[in-house]
Amino acid sequence: MVNIPRWKVIVILATLILGCLAAVPSFLAPATLAALPKWLPKNTFVLGLDLQGGSHLLLEVDFATVIRERMESLVDTVRGELRKERIQYERLGATADGVSFVVRNAAEAEKARELVRKLDNDFATTAGEGGRIVMTLKPEALRQRKLATVDQSIEIVRRRIDETGVREPSIQRQGEDRIVVQLPGLDDPERMKRLLGRTAKMTFHLLDERGSVEDALAGRVPAGSQLLPGAEADRAGGRPSHYLIQKRVMVSGDTLIDSQPTFDQRTGEAVVSFRFDSNGAKRFGDVTGKNVGKPFAIVLDGKVISAPVIREPILGGSGQISGGFTIQGARDLALLLRAGALPAPLTILEERTVGPGLGADSIEAGSIAAVIGTAMVMGFMILAYGLFGVVANIALVLNLILILGAMSVLQATLTLPGIAGIVLTVGMAVDANVLIYERMREETRLGRPPLSAMDAGYARAMTTIIDSNLTTLIAAAVLYFLGSGPIRGFAVTLSLGIVTSMFTAISVARLMTVGWLRLARPKLLPI
């Protein structure tokens, strides 16, 4: 154990140098960091929500809306299929988890059941008395849809937050239908709530010119059409506050590939320009080419933003949306369209804001605790082991630097529990040295020479050190995979601390003690 090959010495020194270089960027000002040469590491660890302030949001996915839209879509599909086969029906409508209708001619009930059964394998189709057909969403399909909806919502939320430039957001699923969003350093939580609270589902529809808005307001809405309110800007402009539009979606916003805030060259007002992909551009060109002279409604989240008249076919696959936007409103709408529409509305269940002042207080309190804890441990080691205690303390400082360096490389988030994990690691880091030194002390008392006592001390304590650290590492891994937020931060710093403390206590401290032993050549270990 006291003979260290040259290559091991090189690896130990190289690891220490790289660890120090990796830790430095986290303590540099942004301007200084940007001025560093490209070949130097620039990754930094990030302060968590509890240390630098920010917002914590608990969102709930409105899954009922997704199911309702799915059932309404299925109703339209069933209606079309029954009409195509000339099967007369009545009382066709959506239920909480399916679709039901009654076949007027009971002899055609089985034919109708077979017809609708093939429409969607996610539904179980049963035929009841009196020609009643019921389609019910299967439990497994319902579960899969919930999972897919939440996963897609998390992805869209992440895109929207990334577009705002917020660094290192934490977005995690909680339970079956909730999402936890933590945004460190967020300076405008109200804007973020507005962005996350909008579905941003955009569609293009033709206006239904068969009926009037007044008749629709009186409840006489033609089949296949719907009455939608106009956006706030439309009402302010004195135009009709409601629009009678066809339900059929002519072009969907799903085919958008870009949107940007800009200004109308004629009026100078803020607008949003957009661009479709190849399929959307072809569809948009076909629709506008066949409906020149007709109003074309742009619908966002169930409200008509505008309904301009098509003057000529729009074949370039791009266009612009005007609706009396402010500059910030145009920016936000462009951001939402770029990020994509949420599959379901999100409801904010809980909101917490941590001020930067409270975060600064947390940093100060955590720093004081870390300094006091480290100082007490160092003092004990010097009193208990003298020169070898000094060696252990140097290894302890190097261990702290390596932890911060590893966190910087991983761009991990440092939270208040994370600081607690570092403080805990300080005590654990010297635990290995204590085990080794006690062994060495026992061997010295038995009369062994220094080299032999040191060799025996490291060899006999190694198994105990590995066992104790491995069990703690397993516990930290469990905390990381089952925990969330601050618990994960604690698990990360604890895990890194275990790995680096084993390296510094076993390799670095041994390198220093062996070096001193060869230089001083003492007749008795001073321990």
Side-chain angles (χ1 to χ4, degrees), residues 90-91 101-107 109 127-133:
E90 60 185 7
R91 285 180 277 171
F101 60 94
V102 175
V103 179
R104 290 177 180 172
N105 184 356
E129 294 182 355
R132 182 177 178 79
I133 307 294

Side-chain angles (χ1 to χ4, degrees), residues 27 38 77 97 116 124 184 231 238 244 255 263 265 289 320 329 370 374 385 409 413 424 464 479 518:
F27 300 94
K38 292 182 179 179
T77 304
D97 59 351
V116 298
L244 184 62
T255 55
F263 294 94
Q265 295 182 350
Q320 69 179 33
T374 304
Y385 301 105
V409 171
T413 301
L424 176 61
T464 307
L479 283 177
R518 288 178 176 172

Side-chain angles (χ1 to χ4, degrees), residues 301-322:
D301 292 342
K303 290 185 177 181
V304 178
I305 295 179
S306 63
V309 176
I310 302 172
R311 301 298 181 190
E312 58 185 11
I314 303 173
L315 304 177
S318 61
Q320 69 179 33
I321 304 170
S322 60

Side-chain angles (χ1 to χ4, degrees), residues 51-384:
L51 294 182
Q52 66 167 314
S55 290
H56 168 101
L57 299 173
L58 177 61
L59 309 173
E60 184 180 52
V61 179
D62 183 6
F63 192 68
T65 300
V66 177
I67 294 297
R68 185 171 62 252
E69 291 178 350
R70 179 70 187 91
M71 299 309 162
E72 291 174 353
S73 174
L74 184 60
V75 166
D76 292 337
T77 304
V78 170
R79 180 186 292 114
E81 292 297 320
L82 292 176
R83 287 179 177 176
K84 191 185 301 180
E85 296 297 325
R86 299 182 182 279
I87 297 175
Q88 295 185 339
Y89 62 91
E90 60 185 7
R91 285 180 277 171
L92 172 62
T95 62
D97 59 351
V99 170
S100 68
F101 60 94
V102 175
V103 179
R104 290 177 180 172
N105 184 356
E108 294 182 314
E110 184 59 24
K111 179 182 177 182
R113 190 186 74 82
E114 278 300 311
L115 180 66
V116 298
R117 184 182 64 81
K118 300 175 183 176
L119 295 179
D120 196 329
N121 292 329
D122 288 342
F123 287 82
T125 306
T126 58
E129 294 182 355
R132 182 177 178 79
I133 307 294
V134 178
M135 301 176 68
T136 307
L137 190 61
K138 298 176 182 176
E140 179 59 23
L142 180 65
R143 192 181 70 82
Q144 292 296 331
R145 283 179 186 274
K146 282 186 176 181
L147 289 175
T149 301
V150 176
D151 287 344
Q152 188 179 354
S153 297
I154 290 175
E155 179 59 27
I156 298 300
V157 167
R158 187 182 306 280
R159 287 187 205 167
R160 291 183 181 183
I161 292 174
D162 288 346
E163 289 275 357
T164 64
V166 175
R167 290 187 61 195
E168 301 300 328
S170 172
I171 306 168
Q172 297 175 342
R173 175 198 296 269
Q174 185 180 80
E176 191 176 53
D177 57 356
R178 294 183 178 181
I179 302 171
V180 176
V181 179
Q182 292 187 336
L183 306 167
L186 182 67
D187 56 0
D188 189 359
E190 292 302 319
R191 182 189 177 216
M192 187 59 67
K193 285 163 58 181
R194 289 196 300 273
L195 291 176
L196 298 183
R198 295 182 65 177
T199 307
K201 186 176 182 180
M202 190 173 74
T203 52
F204 295 81
H205 302 254
L206 289 171
L207 262 63
D208 188 347
E209 299 176 313
R210 295 175 300 169
S212 66
V213 172
E214 289 72 20
D215 289 342
L217 286 171
R220 295 186 291 276
V221 179
S225 298
Q226 59 183 337
L227 186 68
L228 293 182
E232 193 69 28
D234 288 334
R235 288 198 293 271
R239 284 171 281 180
S241 58
H242 287 81
Y243 295 82
L244 184 62
I245 69 168
Q246 298 179 11
K247 281 187 177 179
R248 182 186 178 191
V249 176
M250 305 307 293
V251 185
S252 171
D254 296 341
T255 55
L256 284 176
I257 57 174
D258 190 27
S259 62
Q260 296 293 334
T262 183
F263 294 94
D264 189 288
Q265 295 182 350
R266 293 168 297 178
T267 64
E269 68 172 328
V271 297
V272 175
S273 63
F274 59 86
R275 186 160 54 91
F276 289 107
D277 61 13
S278 57
N279 291 330
K282 182 177 184 304
R283 179 69 180 158
F284 197 63
D286 291 344
V287 172
T288 54
K290 294 176 182 176
N291 295 280
V292 173
K294 296 181 180 179
F296 200 35
I298 303 171
V299 179
L300 181 70
D301 292 342
K303 290 185 177 181
V304 178
I305 295 179
S306 63
V309 176
I310 302 172
R311 301 298 181 190
E312 58 185 11
I314 303 173
L315 304 177
S318 61
Q320 69 179 33
I321 304 170
S322 60
F325 302 121
T326 61
I327 295 176
Q328 185 62 51
R331 287 175 180 167
D332 288 348
L333 178 57
L335 182 155
L336 293 172
L337 296 179
R338 282 199 305 273
L342 286 167
L346 297 177
T347 305
I348 299 176
L349 297 180
E350 180 185 341
E351 176 193 357
R352 294 201 308 268
T353 301
V354 180
L358 183 60
D361 292 342
S362 300
I363 293 176
E364 184 179 359
S367 300
I368 292 173
V371 169
I372 293 176
T374 304
M376 293 180 69
V377 169
M378 287 183 167
F380 170 80
M381 292 300 292
I382 293 175
L383 290 175

